[in-house]
Amino acid sequence: MVVLVSGGMGYIGSHTTVELLNQGYEVIIVDDLSNSKDVVLDKIEIITGKLPKFYKMNILNEEDLETVFKENKIDAVIHFAAFKAVGESVSMPIEYYHNNLTTTLVMLKLMKKYSVKNFVFSSSATVYGEAKTMPVEEEAPLSTTNPYGATKLMIEDILRDVYKANKDMNIAILRYFNPVGAHKSGTIGENPSGIPNNLMPYITKVAIGELKVLSVFGNDYNTVDGTGVRDYIHVVDLAKGHIKALEKLSTNSGLVTYNLGTGNGYSVLELVKAFSKASGREISYKIVDRRPGDVGTCYADPKKANNELGWIAEKSIEEICEDSWRWQSNNPKGYN
Ligand code: UD1
């Protein structure tokens, strides 16, 4: 089975590519390398012993992407390629809406033209906005608080309409909680450019001494220690969820939507503590004001994915921290 992976050189895309290759899928990557590096391809080959076909292109360009559909017989598409920084999306809404929506529409248009029926979409728990009840189920009300999140929800709505009009399509909407960790080999991992926005890469950069002190955004939430609680899921567990989703689509599932999370919440300070233990490094932190737009608590009800996909997040918070640390300490400068 041939799977086209857009954004396959990125953090989640590269880990998913590794799992696909390990499971015997043939993978074609399209990526413009705007937020990744070409060495990722070599690293994927080192881990799996297989070299996926790679097209360096920006999929906003329909003509370019069409060459991929012309040259290959594609069975399924996993669409990761997108802009993903929440803060940046607030200051660059036009770019975010244009990029995230148009790339998806171009992909869907070509899938239709070339009769490719299976589509997996990278959505996010951000579509639950400020969810009222925890853990959050797939049926919870949807809303967003920033343009990045809005693009995810808009694309979900587009996919629901596309499915209504094309009942022979199979579409999996996967809502990720907080992806962290890295491949066990320490070969691939998260490689944010500049100062990380997200918690785990910030912690790992404090641990190697590149950044001095972690700012903890608020300690007055209604949580175990006042700091924000999230559902941190190992990126390899998340990657495996995509394989299970493809298997589901192959049964002619129609449109399906799943939370990919562990079902457990950890506070910022709990994660800091677990990471210190795993790495043997002290993580300096200071409490600062809440970050605008943050919610106090967010964790998944993953039962639907557990039951219908036969998938479960298996890796513990300890393993997550060990793997994040191995990646960062083996690669102090990331892929640079
Ligand atoms: C954010 C986005 C989510 C996106 C995800 C991955 C929102 C509201 N959140 O999730 O859509 O999919 O990033 O890119 O749209 N924290 C600190 N100090 C830091 C960084 C974070 O204390 O330097 C805290 C936050 O307040 C939060 C937790 O750590 O409680 C996790 O933050 P982060 O890693 O940024 O992820 P989210 O905000 O949950």
Side-chain angles (χ1 to χ4, degrees):
M1 180 164 172
V2 179
V3 184
L4 176 63
V5 181
S6 79
M9 304 283 272
Y11 174 45
I12 304 173
S14 59
H15 286 82
T16 302
T17 295
V18 164
E19 296 308 314
L20 286 166
L21 293 170
N22 284 343
Q23 293 295 316
Y25 289 87
E26 210 176 301
V27 178
I28 301 165
I29 294 176
V30 289
D31 197 306
D32 67 354
L33 301 180
S34 59
N35 192 25
S36 56
K37 291 276 188 302
D38 48 11
V39 297
V40 174
L41 202 63
D42 306 332
K43 306 223 173 202
I44 290 170
E45 191 182 17
I46 291 167
I47 296 171
T48 63
K50 294 173 192 166
L51 187 64
K53 205 173 198 182
F54 171 51
Y55 292 84
K56 180 178 180 306
M57 63 173 59
N58 185 323
I59 61 176
L60 283 174
N61 187 319
E62 188 175 331
E63 265 173 42
D64 284 356
L65 186 58
E66 182 153 14
T67 60
V68 180
F69 281 82
K70 273 196 190 127
E71 289 173 12
N72 302 278
K73 172 82 196 75
I74 295 162
D75 298 300
V77 173
I78 307 182
H79 182 47
F80 293 106
F83 292 166
K84 62 165 190 179
V86 173
E88 187 180 67
S89 78
V90 176
S91 53
M92 299 170 59
I94 298 171
E95 289 80 358
Y96 268 70
Y97 286 114
H98 179 240
N99 184 69
N100 290 2
L101 296 177
T102 313
T103 52
T104 309
L105 291 169
V106 166
M107 185 66 86
L108 290 167
K109 218 172 131 185
L110 289 169
M111 286 179 66
K112 189 170 163 75
K113 184 164 174 186
Y114 288 85
S115 303
V116 180
K117 308 250 174 260
N118 301 306
F119 188 71
V120 179
F121 176 61
S122 288
S123 190
S124 165
T126 195
V127 300
Y128 295 118
E130 296 196 30
K132 296 271 174 303
T133 50
M134 287 297 147
V136 61
E137 295 174 1
E138 286 84 352
E139 287 67 33
L142 304 178
S143 70
T144 56
T145 55
N146 58 73
Y148 158 77
T151 67
K152 293 294 175 188
L153 185 49
M154 285 175 182
I155 294 167
E156 285 202 5
D157 286 335
I158 289 169
L159 291 172
R160 287 183 272 270
D161 285 341
V162 166
Y163 177 65
K164 267 185 223 154
N166 302 274
K167 283 281 166 53
D168 57 340
M169 277 195 80
N170 300 301
I171 299 174
I173 293 172
L174 303 180
R175 296 181 181 148
Y176 311 153
F177 281 69
N178 289 58
V180 287
H183 191 264
K184 201 130 261 15
S185 62
T187 315
I188 54 173
E190 192 169 10
N191 184 50
S193 52
I195 296 176
N197 301 305
N198 298 117
L199 180 60
M200 182 60 103
Y202 206 107
I203 290 176
T204 63
K205 287 192 182 295
V206 172
I208 50 160
E210 187 181 322
L211 296 170
K212 288 244 150 3
V213 53
L214 169 72
S215 294
V216 174
F217 298 142
N219 67 348
D220 56 354
Y221 288 107
N222 183 20
T223 63
V224 54
D225 53 23
T227 65
V229 166
R230 295 290 184 277
D231 186 335
Y232 296 97
I233 175 170
H234 196 297
V235 65
V236 172
D237 279 331
L238 190 67
K240 288 178 176 163
H242 292 73
I243 314 266
K244 293 292 187 182
L246 281 179
E247 288 170 7
K248 181 75 182 178
L249 296 186
S250 71
T251 66
N252 269 325
S253 61
L255 184 141
V256 290
T257 304
Y258 297 108
N259 283 341
L260 295 184
T262 68
N264 300 311
Y266 287 91
S267 75
V268 174
L269 294 182
E270 285 172 335
L271 187 65
V272 166
K273 196 167 163 207
F275 187 86
S276 290
K277 190 161 175 237
S279 64
R281 303 267 171 129
E282 207 53 54
I283 305 300
S284 317
Y285 68 85
K286 59 175 182 198
I287 308 291
V288 301
D289 285 349
R290 292 182 178 193
R291 180 171 64 180
D294 271 358
V295 298
T297 301
C298 184
Y299 60 96
D301 182 340
K303 264 199 246 53
K304 193 174 169 212
N306 298 162
N307 295 337
E308 294 183 17
L309 297 180
W311 169 88
I312 189 160
E314 289 172 335
K315 292 175 185 287
S316 64
I317 199 78
E318 288 77 22
E319 200 172 349
I320 283 172
C321 291
E322 285 163 12
D323 291 345
S324 292
W325 176 234
R326 188 177 305 104
W327 154 250
Q328 184 70 85
S329 52
N330 285 359
N331 307 272
K333 300 243 171 286
Y335 294 124
N336 299 317

